[in-house]
């Protein structure tokens, strides 16, 4: 998203999926993860959130953090498709009319392939399979109690 903002281009999943492979062809494998890692080491903030990890190299980067924790939030493909094609979802307007089959096809793209592997190596998983925001909040608080509070109490 940062690159999209920098070049004043609207964010679209289609271009986002092509961006990391293009950068890796030019600068080498793992360049985006490396850039994030360098940035987090320079940042004085205690907590850094990496949202939307799509590359196994990003997982390896987070695991290098002193207190790196990987939270994997997932949902069945049908639920994710329904959310993406909801007319009220303005995050990725290019997906409003995507069929379930096309959505599944997009999930086989290079940028999506590592996601289940990242989930398998996560410290904690939340299955967000309902549209109940209260239920999601409850699960997030359970994660905080289980994983984050132990770091804060040190």
């Amino acid at each position: 998203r940062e690159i999209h903002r920098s070049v004043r281009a609207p964010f679209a999943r289609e271009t986002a999926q092509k961006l990391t492979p293009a950068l890796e062809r030019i600068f080498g494998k793992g360049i985006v993860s490396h850039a994030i890692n360098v940035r987090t080491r320079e940042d004085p903030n205690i907590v850094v959130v990496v949202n939307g990890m799509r590359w196994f190299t990003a997982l390896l980067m987070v695991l290098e953090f002193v207190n790196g924790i990987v939270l994997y939030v997932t949902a069945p493909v049908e639920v994710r498709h329904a959310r993406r094609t909801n007319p009220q979802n303005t995050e990725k307007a290019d997906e409003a009319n995507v069929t379930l089959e096309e959505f599944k096809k997009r999930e086989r793209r290079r940028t999506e392939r590592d996601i289940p592997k990242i989930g398998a190596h996560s410290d904690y998983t939340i299955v967000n399979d309902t549209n109940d925001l209260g239920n999601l909040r409850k699960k997030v608080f359970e994660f905080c109690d289980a994983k984050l509070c132990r770091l804060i109490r040190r």
Side-chain angles (χ1 to χ4, degrees):
R1 291 183 193 272
E2 184 172 332
I3 292 173
H4 284 85
R5 278 193 297 272
S6 295
V7 298
R8 305 287 192 267
F11 184 83
R13 186 176 197 171
E14 190 76 24
T15 56
Q17 287 181 324
K18 294 175 183 175
L19 195 53
T20 297
L23 290 169
E24 286 191 340
R25 277 192 301 277
I26 297 166
F27 299 107
K29 187 167 176 62
I31 187 64
V32 174
S33 297
H34 175 74
I36 294 168
N37 202 353
V38 168
R39 194 179 225 180
T40 59
R41 291 176 194 277
E42 295 170 349
D43 193 327
N45 294 320
I46 295 170
V47 176
V48 176
V49 176
V50 180
N51 180 27
M53 275 195 280
R54 288 183 149 52
W55 302 95
F56 200 74
T57 53
L59 171 71
L60 298 176
M61 172 202 58
V62 171
L63 295 177
E64 287 180 16
F65 294 165
V66 175
N67 291 316
I69 296 175
V70 177
L71 167 63
Y72 180 59
V73 180
T74 188
V77 67
E78 295 82 8
V79 172
R80 292 193 316 275
H81 172 260
R83 289 177 182 155
R84 288 285 183 212
T85 56
N86 182 332
Q88 295 175 343
N89 177 10
T90 57
E91 182 181 353
K92 295 180 180 171
D94 64 322
E95 294 186 337
N97 297 313
V98 173
T99 66
L100 179 59
E101 287 310 309
E102 176 62 24
F103 189 81
K104 288 179 180 179
K105 182 178 172 186
R106 289 181 181 189
E107 291 210 338
R108 291 190 296 270
R109 290 181 179 162
R110 176 66 197 107
T111 52
E112 310 301 304
R113 285 187 225 148
D114 285 356
I115 295 172
K117 192 165 37 167
I118 291 168
H121 288 84
S122 68
D123 297 292
Y124 198 90
T125 299
I126 292 176
V127 178
N128 182 19
D129 55 356
T130 70
N131 288 322
D132 180 353
L133 191 54
N135 186 46
L136 177 59
R137 282 189 179 126
K138 178 179 178 255
K139 291 177 180 183
V140 169
F141 285 124
E142 288 170 359
F143 159 73
C144 291
D145 287 343
K147 294 294 181 178
L148 297 181
C149 289
R150 71 176 172 80
L151 294 176
I152 296 168
R153 290 184 188 123
R154 283 187 183 177

